[in-house]
Coordinates of all heavy atoms in Angstrom, one line a residue:
M17 N 0.8 -1.2 0.0 CA 0.0 0.0 0.0 C 0.9 1.2 0.0 O 1.9 1.3 0.7 CB -0.9 0.0 1.2 CG -1.7 1.3 1.3 SD -2.9 1.2 2.6 CE -4.0 0.0 2.0
K18 N 0.5 2.2 -0.7 CA 1.2 3.5 -0.9 C 1.1 4.3 0.4 O 0.0 4.4 1.0 CB 0.6 4.2 -2.1 CG 1.4 5.3 -2.6 CD 0.7 5.8 -3.9 CE 0.7 7.3 -3.9 NZ 0.1 7.8 -5.1
P19 N 2.2 4.9 0.8 CA 2.2 5.7 2.0 C 1.4 7.1 1.8 O 1.3 7.5 0.7 CB 3.6 6.0 2.4 CG 4.3 5.8 1.1 CD 3.5 4.8 0.3
S20 N 0.9 7.6 2.8 CA 0.3 9.0 2.8 C 1.5 9.9 3.0 O 2.3 9.7 3.8 CB -0.7 9.2 3.9 OG -1.8 8.4 3.7
T21 N 1.4 11.0 2.2 CA 2.5 11.9 2.2 C 2.0 13.4 2.4 O 0.9 13.7 1.9 CB 3.3 11.9 0.8 OG1 3.8 10.5 0.7 CG2 4.5 12.8 0.8
L22 N 2.8 14.1 3.1 CA 2.4 15.5 3.3 C 3.7 16.3 3.3 O 4.7 16.0 3.9 CB 1.8 15.7 4.6 CG 1.1 17.0 4.9 CD1 -0.3 16.8 5.5 CD2 1.9 17.9 5.8
I23 N 3.7 17.4 2.5 CA 4.9 18.3 2.4 C 4.6 19.6 3.1 O 3.6 20.3 2.8 CB 5.4 18.5 0.9 CG1 5.7 17.1 0.3 CG2 6.5 19.5 0.8 CD1 6.0 17.2 -1.2
I24 N 5.5 20.0 4.0 CA 5.5 21.4 4.6 C 6.6 22.2 3.9 O 7.7 21.8 3.9 CB 5.7 21.3 6.1 CG1 4.5 20.5 6.7 CG2 5.8 22.7 6.7 CD1 4.6 20.3 8.2
N25 N 6.2 23.3 3.3 CA 7.1 24.2 2.6 C 7.9 25.0 3.5 O 7.9 26.3 3.5 CB 6.4 25.0 1.6 CG 5.8 24.2 0.5 OD1 6.4 23.3 0.0 ND2 4.5 24.5 0.1
Q26 N 8.6 24.3 4.4 CA 9.5 25.0 5.4 C 10.5 24.0 5.9 O 10.1 22.8 6.1 CB 8.6 25.5 6.5 CG 9.3 26.1 7.7 CD 8.2 26.5 8.7 OE1 7.1 26.7 8.4 NE2 8.7 26.8 9.9
A27 N 11.7 24.4 6.1 CA 12.7 23.5 6.6 C 12.5 23.4 8.2 O 12.4 24.5 8.8 CB 14.1 24.0 6.3
L28 N 12.3 22.2 8.7 CA 12.1 22.1 10.1 C 13.3 21.5 10.8 O 14.1 20.8 10.1 CB 10.9 21.1 10.4 CG 9.5 21.6 9.8 CD1 8.5 20.6 10.1 CD2 9.1 22.9 10.4
D29 N 13.5 21.7 12.0 CA 14.6 21.3 12.8 C 14.5 19.7 13.1 O 13.5 19.3 13.6 CB 14.7 22.0 14.1 CG 15.9 21.6 14.9 OD1 17.0 22.1 14.7 OD2 15.7 20.7 15.8
K30 N 15.5 19.0 12.6 CA 15.4 17.5 12.7 C 15.3 17.1 14.2 O 14.4 16.2 14.5 CB 16.7 16.9 12.1 CG 16.7 15.4 12.1 CD 18.0 14.9 11.6 CE 18.2 15.2 10.2 NZ 19.4 14.6 9.6
K31 N 16.1 17.6 15.1 CA 16.0 17.2 16.5 C 14.7 17.5 17.1 O 14.1 16.6 17.8 CB 17.1 17.9 17.2 CG 17.3 17.4 18.7 CD 18.5 18.0 19.3 CE 18.6 17.5 20.7 NZ 19.8 18.0 21.4
K32 N 14.1 18.6 16.8 CA 12.8 19.0 17.4 C 11.7 18.1 16.8 O 10.8 17.7 17.6 CB 12.4 20.4 17.0 CG 13.2 21.5 17.9 CD 12.7 22.9 17.5 CE 13.5 23.9 18.3 NZ 13.1 25.3 18.0
C33 N 11.8 17.7 15.6 CA 10.8 16.8 14.9 C 10.9 15.4 15.6 O 9.8 14.9 16.0 CB 11.0 16.7 13.5 SG 10.6 18.1 12.5
I34 N 12.0 14.9 15.7 CA 12.2 13.6 16.3 C 11.7 13.6 17.8 O 11.0 12.7 18.2 CB 13.6 13.1 16.2 CG1 13.9 12.8 14.7 CG2 13.9 11.8 17.0 CD1 15.4 12.5 14.4
T35 N 12.1 14.6 18.5 CA 11.6 14.7 19.9 C 10.1 14.8 20.0 O 9.5 14.1 20.8 CB 12.2 16.0 20.6 OG1 13.7 15.8 20.6 CG2 11.8 16.1 22.0
Y36 N 9.5 15.5 19.1 CA 8.0 15.7 19.1 C 7.4 14.3 18.8 O 6.5 13.9 19.5 CB 7.6 16.7 18.0 CG 6.1 16.7 17.8 CD1 5.3 17.4 18.7 CD2 5.5 15.9 16.8 CE1 3.9 17.4 18.6 CE2 4.1 15.9 16.7 CZ 3.3 16.7 17.6 OH 1.9 16.6 17.4
F37 N 7.9 13.6 17.8 CA 7.3 12.3 17.5 C 7.6 11.2 18.5 O 6.8 10.3 18.7 CB 7.7 11.8 16.1 CG 7.0 12.7 15.0 CD1 7.7 13.5 14.2 CD2 5.6 12.6 14.8 CE1 7.1 14.3 13.2 CE2 5.0 13.4 13.9 CZ 5.7 14.2 13.1
N38 N 8.7 11.3 19.2 CA 9.0 10.4 20.3 C 7.9 10.6 21.4 O 7.5 9.6 22.0 CB 10.4 10.7 20.9 CG 11.5 10.1 20.1 OD1 11.3 9.2 19.4 ND2 12.7 10.7 20.3
G39 N 7.4 11.8 21.6 CA 6.4 12.1 22.6 C 5.0 11.6 22.1 O 4.1 11.6 22.9
H40 N 4.9 11.1 20.9 CA 3.7 10.6 20.3 C 3.9 9.1 20.0 O 3.3 8.6 19.0 CB 3.2 11.4 19.1 CG 2.7 12.8 19.6 ND1 3.5 13.8 19.8 CD2 1.4 13.2 19.8 CE1 2.8 14.8 20.2 NE2 1.5 14.5 20.2
D41 N 4.7 8.4 20.7 CA 4.8 7.0 20.7 C 5.6 6.5 19.4 O 5.6 5.3 19.1 CB 3.5 6.2 20.8 CG 2.8 6.5 22.1 OD1 3.5 6.7 23.1 OD2 1.6 6.6 22.1
F42 N 6.3 7.3 18.7 CA 7.1 6.9 17.6 C 8.5 6.8 18.1 O 9.0 7.7 18.9 CB 7.1 7.9 16.4 CG 5.9 7.8 15.6 CD1 4.7 8.5 15.9 CD2 5.8 7.0 14.5 CE1 3.5 8.4 15.2 CE2 4.7 6.9 13.7 CZ 3.5 7.6 14.0
H43 N 9.3 5.8 17.7 CA 10.6 5.6 18.2 C 11.6 5.7 17.0 O 11.4 5.0 16.0 CB 10.7 4.3 18.9 CG 9.7 4.1 20.0 ND1 10.0 4.8 21.2 CD2 8.5 3.5 20.1 CE1 8.9 4.5 22.0 NE2 8.0 3.8 21.3
Y44 N 12.6 6.4 17.2 CA 13.6 6.6 16.2 C 14.3 5.3 15.9 O 14.8 4.6 16.8 CB 14.7 7.7 16.7 CG 15.8 7.9 15.7 CD1 15.6 8.8 14.6 CD2 17.0 7.4 15.8 CE1 16.6 9.0 13.7 CE2 18.0 7.6 14.9 CZ 17.8 8.5 13.9 OH 18.8 8.7 13.0
I45 N 14.3 4.9 14.6 CA 14.9 3.7 14.2 C 16.3 3.9 13.5 O 17.3 3.3 13.9 CB 14.0 2.9 13.2 CG1 12.6 2.6 13.9 CG2 14.6 1.6 12.7 CD1 12.7 1.7 15.2
K46 N 16.3 4.7 12.5 CA 17.5 4.9 11.7 C 17.5 6.2 10.9 O 16.5 6.8 10.7 CB 17.9 3.7 10.9 CG 16.9 3.5 9.7 CD 17.3 2.2 8.9 CE 16.3 2.0 7.8 NZ 16.6 0.9 7.0
E47 N 18.7 6.5 10.4 CA 18.8 7.6 9.5 C 19.4 7.0 8.2 O 20.3 6.2 8.2 CB 19.9 8.6 10.1 CG 20.1 9.8 9.4 CD 19.0 10.9 9.7 OE1 18.4 10.8 10.8 OE2 18.9 11.8 8.9
D48 N 18.8 7.5 7.1 CA 19.2 7.0 5.8 C 19.3 8.3 4.9 O 18.3 8.8 4.4 CB 18.3 6.0 5.2 CG 18.7 5.4 3.9 OD1 20.0 5.4 3.6 OD2 17.9 4.9 3.1
K49 N 20.5 8.8 4.7 CA 20.8 10.0 4.0 C 20.1 11.1 4.7 O 20.4 11.4 5.9 CB 20.4 9.9 2.5 CG 21.2 8.9 1.8 CD 20.9 8.8 0.3 CE 21.6 7.7 -0.3 NZ 21.4 7.6 -1.7
N50 N 19.1 11.9 4.1 CA 18.4 12.9 4.8 C 17.1 12.5 5.3 O 16.2 13.3 5.7 CB 18.2 14.1 3.8 CG 19.5 14.9 3.5 OD1 20.5 14.8 4.3 ND2 19.5 15.6 2.5
V51 N 16.9 11.2 5.4 CA 15.6 10.7 5.9 C 15.7 10.0 7.2 O 16.6 9.2 7.4 CB 15.0 9.6 4.9 CG1 13.7 9.0 5.3 CG2 14.9 10.2 3.5
S52 N 14.9 10.5 8.1 CA 14.8 9.9 9.5 C 13.6 8.9 9.5 O 12.5 9.3 9.0 CB 14.6 10.9 10.6 OG 15.8 11.7 10.6
I53 N 13.8 7.7 10.0 CA 12.7 6.7 10.0 C 12.4 6.4 11.5 O 13.2 6.1 12.3 CB 13.1 5.5 9.3 CG1 13.4 5.8 7.8 CG2 12.0 4.4 9.4 CD1 14.0 4.7 7.0
L54 N 11.1 6.5 11.8 CA 10.6 6.3 13.1 C 9.4 5.3 13.0 O 8.8 5.2 12.0 CB 10.0 7.5 13.7 CG 11.0 8.7 13.9 CD1 11.0 9.7 12.8 CD2 10.7 9.4 15.2
K55 N 9.3 4.5 14.0 CA 8.2 3.4 14.0 C 7.4 3.6 15.3 O 7.9 4.0 16.3 CB 8.8 2.1 13.9 CG 9.4 1.8 12.5 CD 9.6 0.3 12.3 CE 10.2 0.2 10.9 NZ 10.2 -1.2 10.5
K56 N 6.1 3.2 15.1 CA 5.2 3.2 16.2 C 4.6 1.8 16.3 O 4.1 1.3 15.3 CB 4.0 4.2 16.0 CG 3.0 4.3 17.1 CD 2.0 5.3 16.8 CE 1.0 5.4 17.9 NZ -0.1 6.4 17.6
S57 N 4.7 1.2 17.5 CA 4.1 -0.2 17.6 C 2.6 -0.1 17.7 O 2.0 1.0 18.0 CB 4.7 -0.9 18.9 OG 4.4 -0.1 20.0
G58 N 2.0 -1.2 17.5 CA 0.5 -1.3 17.6 C 0.1 -2.7 17.5 O 0.9 -3.7 17.6
T59 N -1.2 -2.9 17.2 CA -1.7 -4.3 17.1 C -2.1 -4.5 15.7 O -2.6 -3.6 15.0 CB -2.9 -4.5 18.1 OG1 -3.4 -5.8 17.9 CG2 -4.0 -3.5 17.8
T60 N -2.0 -5.7 15.2 CA -2.4 -6.1 13.8 C -3.8 -6.4 13.8 O -4.4 -6.5 12.7 CB -1.5 -7.2 13.3 OG1 -1.6 -8.3 14.1 CG2 -0.1 -6.7 13.1
L61 N -4.5 -6.7 14.9 CA -5.9 -7.1 14.9 C -6.7 -5.9 15.4 O -7.0 -5.8 16.6 CB -6.1 -8.3 15.8 CG -5.4 -9.6 15.4 CD1 -5.5 -10.7 16.4 CD2 -5.9 -10.0 14.0
T62 N -7.1 -5.0 14.5 CA -7.8 -3.8 14.9 C -8.7 -3.4 13.7 O -8.3 -3.7 12.6 CB -6.9 -2.7 15.4 OG1 -7.7 -1.6 15.8 CG2 -5.9 -2.3 14.3
I63 N -9.7 -2.6 14.0 CA -10.5 -2.1 13.0 C -10.2 -0.6 12.8 O -10.7 0.1 11.9 CB -12.0 -2.3 13.2 CG1 -12.4 -1.7 14.6 CG2 -12.4 -3.7 13.1 CD1 -13.9 -1.6 14.8
E64 N -9.4 0.0 13.7 CA -9.0 1.4 13.6 C -7.5 1.5 13.1 O -6.6 0.9 13.8 CB -9.2 2.1 14.9 CG -10.6 2.2 15.3 CD -10.8 3.0 16.5 OE1 -10.2 4.1 16.6 OE2 -11.6 2.6 17.4
G65 N -7.3 2.2 12.1 CA -5.9 2.4 11.5 C -4.9 3.0 12.5 O -3.8 2.6 12.5
R66 N -5.4 3.9 13.4 CA -4.4 4.6 14.3 C -3.8 3.6 15.3 O -2.9 3.9 16.0 CB -5.1 5.8 15.0 CG -6.2 5.4 15.9 CD -6.7 6.7 16.6 NE -7.7 6.3 17.5 CZ -9.0 6.5 17.3 NH1 -9.4 7.1 16.2 NH2 -9.9 6.2 18.2
N67 N -4.4 2.4 15.5 CA -3.9 1.4 16.5 C -3.0 0.4 15.8 O -2.4 -0.4 16.5 CB -5.1 0.7 17.1 CG -6.0 1.6 17.9 OD1 -5.5 2.5 18.5 ND2 -7.2 1.2 18.0
M68 N -2.8 0.5 14.5 CA -1.9 -0.4 13.8 C -0.4 0.1 13.9 O -0.2 1.3 14.0 CB -2.3 -0.5 12.4 CG -3.7 -1.1 12.2 SD -4.1 -1.4 10.5 CE -3.2 -2.8 10.2
P69 N 0.5 -0.8 13.8 CA 1.9 -0.4 13.7 C 2.1 0.5 12.5 O 1.6 0.3 11.4 CB 2.7 -1.7 13.5 CG 1.8 -2.8 13.9 CD 0.4 -2.3 13.7
M70 N 2.9 1.6 12.7 CA 3.1 2.5 11.6 C 4.6 2.9 11.5 O 5.4 2.8 12.4 CB 2.4 3.8 11.9 CG 0.9 3.7 11.8 SD 0.2 5.3 12.0 CE -1.2 4.9 13.1
E71 N 5.0 3.3 10.3 CA 6.3 3.8 10.0 C 6.2 5.2 9.4 O 5.5 5.4 8.5 CB 7.1 2.9 9.0 CG 8.5 3.3 8.7 CD 9.2 2.5 7.7 OE1 9.5 1.3 8.1 OE2 9.4 2.9 6.6
L72 N 7.0 6.1 10.1 CA 7.0 7.5 9.7 C 8.4 7.8 9.1 O 9.4 7.6 9.8 CB 6.7 8.4 10.9 CG 6.8 9.9 10.6 CD1 5.7 10.4 9.7 CD2 6.7 10.6 12.0
S73 N 8.4 8.3 7.9 CA 9.7 8.8 7.3 C 9.6 10.3 7.1 O 8.6 10.8 6.7 CB 9.9 8.1 5.9 OG 9.9 6.7 6.0
I74 N 10.7 10.9 7.5 CA 10.8 12.4 7.4 C 12.0 12.7 6.6 O 13.1 12.4 6.9 CB 10.9 13.1 8.8 CG1 9.9 12.5 9.8 CG2 10.8 14.6 8.7 CD1 10.1 12.9 11.2
L75 N 11.7 13.4 5.4 CA 12.8 13.8 4.5 C 13.1 15.3 4.8 O 12.1 16.1 4.6 CB 12.4 13.6 3.1 CG 13.3 14.1 2.0 CD1 14.7 13.5 2.1 CD2 12.8 13.9 0.6
F76 N 14.2 15.6 5.2 CA 14.6 17.0 5.6 C 15.3 17.6 4.3 O 16.4 17.1 3.9 CB 15.5 17.0 6.8 CG 14.8 16.6 8.0 CD1 14.9 15.3 8.4 CD2 14.0 17.5 8.8 CE1 14.3 14.8 9.6 CE2 13.3 17.0 9.9 CZ 13.5 15.7 10.3
R77 N 14.7 18.7 3.8 CA 15.3 19.4 2.7 C 15.7 20.8 3.1 O 15.3 21.2 4.2 CB 14.3 19.4 1.5 CG 14.1 18.1 0.9 CD 13.2 18.2 -0.4 NE 13.0 16.9 -1.0 CZ 11.8 16.5 -1.3 NH1 10.7 17.2 -1.0 NH2 11.7 15.3 -1.8
D78 N 16.4 21.5 2.3 CA 16.7 22.9 2.6 C 15.5 23.8 2.8 O 15.6 24.7 3.6 CB 17.7 23.5 1.5 CG 19.0 22.8 1.5 OD1 19.4 22.3 2.5 OD2 19.7 22.9 0.4
K79 N 14.5 23.7 2.0 CA 13.4 24.6 2.0 C 12.0 23.9 2.3 O 11.0 24.5 2.3 CB 13.3 25.3 0.7 CG 14.5 26.2 0.5 CD 14.3 27.1 -0.7 CE 15.6 27.9 -0.9 NZ 15.5 28.9 -1.9
S80 N 12.1 22.6 2.6 CA 10.8 21.9 2.9 C 11.1 20.6 3.7 O 12.2 20.2 3.8 CB 10.1 21.5 1.6 OG 10.8 20.5 0.9
T81 N 10.0 20.1 4.3 CA 10.1 18.8 5.0 C 9.0 18.0 4.6 O 7.8 18.4 4.5 CB 10.0 19.1 6.5 OG1 10.9 20.1 6.9 CG2 10.3 17.9 7.3
E82 N 9.3 16.7 4.2 CA 8.3 15.8 3.7 C 8.1 14.6 4.6 O 9.0 14.0 5.1 CB 8.7 15.2 2.3 CG 7.8 14.3 1.7 CD 8.2 13.8 0.3 OE1 8.9 14.6 -0.4 OE2 7.9 12.6 0.0
F83 N 6.8 14.4 5.0 CA 6.5 13.3 5.9 C 5.7 12.3 5.1 O 4.8 12.6 4.3 CB 5.5 13.9 7.0 CG 6.1 15.0 7.8 CD1 6.0 16.3 7.4 CD2 6.8 14.7 9.0 CE1 6.6 17.3 8.2 CE2 7.4 15.7 9.7 CZ 7.3 17.0 9.4
S84 N 6.1 11.0 5.3 CA 5.4 9.9 4.7 C 5.0 8.9 5.8 O 5.9 8.5 6.6 CB 6.3 9.2 3.7 OG 6.5 10.0 2.6
L85 N 3.8 8.5 5.9 CA 3.3 7.6 6.9 C 2.7 6.4 6.2 O 1.9 6.5 5.3 CB 2.3 8.3 7.8 CG 1.7 7.5 9.0 CD1 2.8 7.3 10.0 CD2 0.6 8.3 9.7
K86 N 3.1 5.2 6.7 CA 2.5 4.0 6.2 C 2.3 3.0 7.3 O 3.0 3.1 8.3 CB 3.4 3.4 5.1 CG 4.7 2.9 5.5 CD 5.5 2.3 4.3 CE 6.9 1.8 4.8 NZ 7.6 1.2 3.7
Y87 N 1.4 2.0 7.0 CA 1.3 0.9 8.0 C 2.5 0.0 7.9 O 3.1 -0.2 6.9 CB 0.0 0.2 7.7 CG -1.3 0.9 7.9 CD1 -2.1 1.2 6.8 CD2 -1.6 1.5 9.1 CE1 -3.3 1.9 6.9 CE2 -2.8 2.2 9.3 CZ -3.6 2.4 8.2 OH -4.7 3.2 8.3
D88 N 2.9 -0.4 9.1 CA 4.1 -1.3 9.2 C 3.7 -2.8 9.2 O 4.4 -3.6 9.7 CB 4.9 -1.0 10.4 CG 6.3 -1.4 10.3 OD1 6.8 -1.6 9.2 OD2 7.0 -1.6 11.4
V89 N 2.5 -3.1 8.6 CA 2.0 -4.4 8.4 C 1.2 -4.4 7.1 O 1.0 -3.4 6.5 CB 1.0 -4.9 9.5 CG1 1.7 -5.0 10.8 CG2 -0.2 -3.9 9.6
T90 N 0.9 -5.6 6.6 CA 0.1 -5.7 5.4 C -1.3 -5.4 5.7 O -1.9 -6.0 6.6 CB 0.3 -7.1 4.8 OG1 1.7 -7.3 4.5 CG2 -0.5 -7.2 3.5
V91 N -1.9 -4.5 4.9 CA -3.3 -4.2 5.1 C -4.0 -4.3 3.7 O -3.4 -4.1 2.7 CB -3.6 -2.8 5.6 CG1 -3.1 -2.7 7.1 CG2 -2.9 -1.7 4.8
L92 N -5.3 -4.6 3.7 CA -6.0 -4.8 2.5 C -6.4 -3.5 1.8 O -6.4 -3.3 0.6 CB -7.2 -5.7 2.7 CG -6.9 -7.1 3.2 CD1 -8.2 -7.8 3.5 CD2 -6.0 -7.8 2.2
F93 N -6.8 -2.5 2.7 CA -7.2 -1.2 2.2 C -7.1 -0.2 3.3 O -7.0 -0.5 4.5 CB -8.6 -1.2 1.6 CG -9.6 -1.7 2.6 CD1 -10.3 -0.7 3.4 CD2 -9.9 -3.0 2.8 CE1 -11.2 -1.1 4.4 CE2 -10.9 -3.4 3.8 CZ -11.5 -2.4 4.6
D94 N -7.0 1.1 2.9 CA -7.0 2.2 3.8 C -8.3 3.0 3.7 O -8.7 3.3 2.7 CB -5.8 3.1 3.5 CG -5.7 4.3 4.4 OD1 -6.2 4.2 5.5 OD2 -5.1 5.3 4.0
T95 N -8.9 3.2 4.9 CA -10.2 3.9 4.9 C -10.0 5.4 5.0 O -10.9 6.1 5.2 CB -11.0 3.4 6.0 OG1 -10.3 3.7 7.3 CG2 -11.4 2.0 5.9
G96 N -8.8 5.9 4.9 CA -8.5 7.3 5.0 C -7.9 7.6 6.4 O -7.5 8.8 6.6
D97 N -7.8 6.6 7.2 CA -7.3 6.8 8.6 C -5.8 7.3 8.5 O -5.4 8.1 9.3 CB -7.3 5.5 9.4 CG -8.7 5.1 9.8 OD1 -9.7 5.9 9.5 OD2 -8.9 4.0 10.3
L98 N -5.0 6.8 7.6 CA -3.6 7.1 7.5 C -3.4 8.5 7.2 O -2.6 9.2 7.9 CB -3.0 6.2 6.4 CG -1.5 6.0 6.5 CD1 -1.1 5.4 7.8 CD2 -1.1 5.0 5.3
Q99 N -4.1 9.1 6.2 CA -3.9 10.5 5.9 C -4.4 11.4 7.0 O -3.8 12.4 7.3 CB -4.6 10.8 4.6 CG -4.4 12.2 4.1 CD -3.0 12.5 3.6 OE1 -2.3 11.6 3.1 NE2 -2.5 13.7 3.9
E100 N -5.5 11.0 7.6 CA -6.0 11.7 8.7 C -5.0 11.8 9.9 O -4.8 12.8 10.5 CB -7.3 11.1 9.2 CG -8.1 11.9 10.2 CD -9.4 11.2 10.6 OE1 -10.2 10.9 9.7 OE2 -9.6 10.9 11.8
E101 N -4.4 10.6 10.2 CA -3.4 10.5 11.3 C -2.2 11.4 11.0 O -1.7 12.1 11.8 CB -3.0 9.1 11.5 CG -2.1 8.9 12.7 CD -2.7 9.1 14.1 OE1 -4.0 9.2 14.2 OE2 -2.0 9.2 15.0
L102 N -1.8 11.4 9.7 CA -0.6 12.2 9.3 C -0.9 13.6 9.4 O -0.1 14.4 9.9 CB -0.2 11.8 7.9 CG 1.0 12.6 7.3 CD1 2.3 12.3 8.2 CD2 1.3 12.1 5.9
E103 N -2.0 14.1 9.0 CA -2.4 15.5 9.1 C -2.5 15.9 10.6 O -2.1 17.0 10.9 CB -3.7 15.7 8.4 CG -3.6 15.7 6.9 CD -4.9 15.7 6.1 OE1 -6.0 15.9 6.7 OE2 -4.8 15.5 4.9
K104 N -3.1 15.0 11.4 CA -3.2 15.3 12.9 C -1.8 15.5 13.5 O -1.5 16.4 14.2 CB -4.0 14.2 13.5 CG -4.2 14.4 15.0 CD -5.0 13.2 15.5 CE -4.7 12.9 17.0 NZ -5.4 11.7 17.4
L105 N -0.9 14.6 13.2 CA 0.5 14.6 13.7 C 1.3 15.8 13.3 O 1.9 16.5 14.1 CB 1.2 13.3 13.3 CG 0.8 12.0 14.0 CD1 1.4 10.8 13.3 CD2 1.3 12.1 15.5
T106 N 1.2 16.1 12.0 CA 2.0 17.3 11.5 C 1.4 18.6 12.0 O 2.1 19.5 12.2 CB 2.1 17.2 10.0 OG1 0.8 17.1 9.4 CG2 3.0 16.1 9.5
S107 N 0.1 18.6 12.1 CA -0.6 19.9 12.6 C -0.1 20.1 14.1 O 0.2 21.2 14.4 CB -2.1 19.7 12.6 OG -2.8 20.8 13.2
G108 N -0.1 19.1 14.9 CA 0.4 19.2 16.2 C 1.9 19.6 16.3 O 2.3 20.4 17.1
L109 N 2.7 19.0 15.4 CA 4.1 19.4 15.3 C 4.2 20.9 15.0 O 5.0 21.6 15.6 CB 4.8 18.5 14.2 CG 6.2 19.0 13.8 CD1 7.1 18.7 15.0 CD2 6.7 18.2 12.6
M110 N 3.5 21.4 14.0 CA 3.6 22.8 13.6 C 3.2 23.7 14.7 O 3.8 24.7 15.0 CB 2.8 23.1 12.4 CG 3.3 22.3 11.1 SD 5.1 22.6 10.8 CE 5.0 24.3 10.3
Q111 N 2.2 23.3 15.5 CA 1.8 24.1 16.7 C 2.9 24.1 17.7 O 3.2 25.2 18.3 CB 0.5 23.6 17.3 CG -0.8 23.8 16.4 CD -2.0 23.3 17.0 OE1 -2.0 22.5 17.9 NE2 -3.1 23.5 16.4
A112 N 3.5 23.0 17.9 CA 4.5 22.9 18.9 C 5.8 23.7 18.5 O 6.5 24.3 19.3 CB 4.9 21.4 19.2
E113 N 6.0 23.6 17.2 CA 7.2 24.3 16.6 C 7.1 25.8 16.7 O 8.1 26.5 16.9 CB 7.3 23.9 15.1 CG 8.5 24.5 14.4 CD 9.8 23.7 14.6 OE1 9.7 22.6 15.1 OE2 10.8 24.2 14.2
F114 N 5.9 26.3 16.7 CA 5.8 27.8 16.7 C 5.3 28.4 18.1 O 5.1 29.5 18.3 CB 4.8 28.3 15.7 CG 5.4 28.1 14.3 CD1 4.8 27.1 13.4 CD2 6.5 28.8 13.9 CE1 5.4 26.9 12.2 CE2 7.0 28.6 12.6 CZ 6.5 27.6 11.7
N115 N 5.2 27.5 19.1 CA 4.8 28.0 20.4 C 6.0 28.0 21.4 O 7.0 27.4 21.2 CB 3.7 27.1 21.0 CG 2.4 27.4 20.3 OD1 2.2 28.5 19.8 ND2 1.5 26.4 20.3

């Protein structure tokens, strides 16, 4: 399944982003070039997408930051929960970034 992606047209601080997502149950896994990969554990037996294991990739660029969120298990279809969760997470990040 294709990940949900969201681009913020602003360069964000890598350390602040990782700290924010750590506070939302994502754990830093590795760095691959300019991409930080974080994972969130969950259960594979659920009817709600936000309870499933997820992988968040953050691509840090000079003038933008790209977030990609995907389920870390095989799913048959996405009901829109993934995009909704990504928008909720990045919205909270932006609020935290400017407060």
Side-chain angles (χ1 to χ4, degrees):
M17 175 173 294
K18 199 171 135 180
S20 290
T21 302
L22 191 135
I23 298 173
I24 295 176
N25 293 318
Q26 174 177 347
L28 299 178
D29 183 84
K30 184 185 296 188
K31 187 175 180 178
K32 286 182 181 179
C33 285
I34 291 171
T35 300
Y36 173 81
F37 288 113
N38 281 338
H40 287 81
D41 300 325
F42 281 87
H43 304 283
Y44 180 79
I45 300 298
K46 66 180 177 177
E47 185 83 19
D48 186 22
K49 298 184 183 181
N50 288 341
V51 179
S52 294
I53 299 173
L54 298 97
K55 291 193 178 192
K56 180 178 181 179
S57 61
T59 179
T60 56
L61 298 173
T62 182
I63 58 171
E64 293 188 43
R66 67 176 179 258
N67 294 331
M68 296 182 79
M70 292 184 223
E71 180 180 292
L72 175 66
S73 300
I74 310 170
L75 173 58
F76 295 94
R77 295 188 177 125
D78 291 336
K79 296 184 180 189
S80 66
T81 308
E82 181 177 329
F83 299 88
S84 293
L85 185 65
K86 66 180 183 177
Y87 294 118
D88 202 24
V89 294
T90 302
V91 294
L92 300 176
F93 59 91
D94 176 25
T95 60
D97 290 353
L98 199 58
Q99 186 65 34
E100 186 178 310
E101 184 70 12
L102 180 59
E103 289 171 4
K104 179 178 155 188
L105 286 166
T106 54
S107 174
L109 171 66
M110 295 307 291
Q111 289 177 353
E113 183 81 11
F114 293 111
N115 287 331

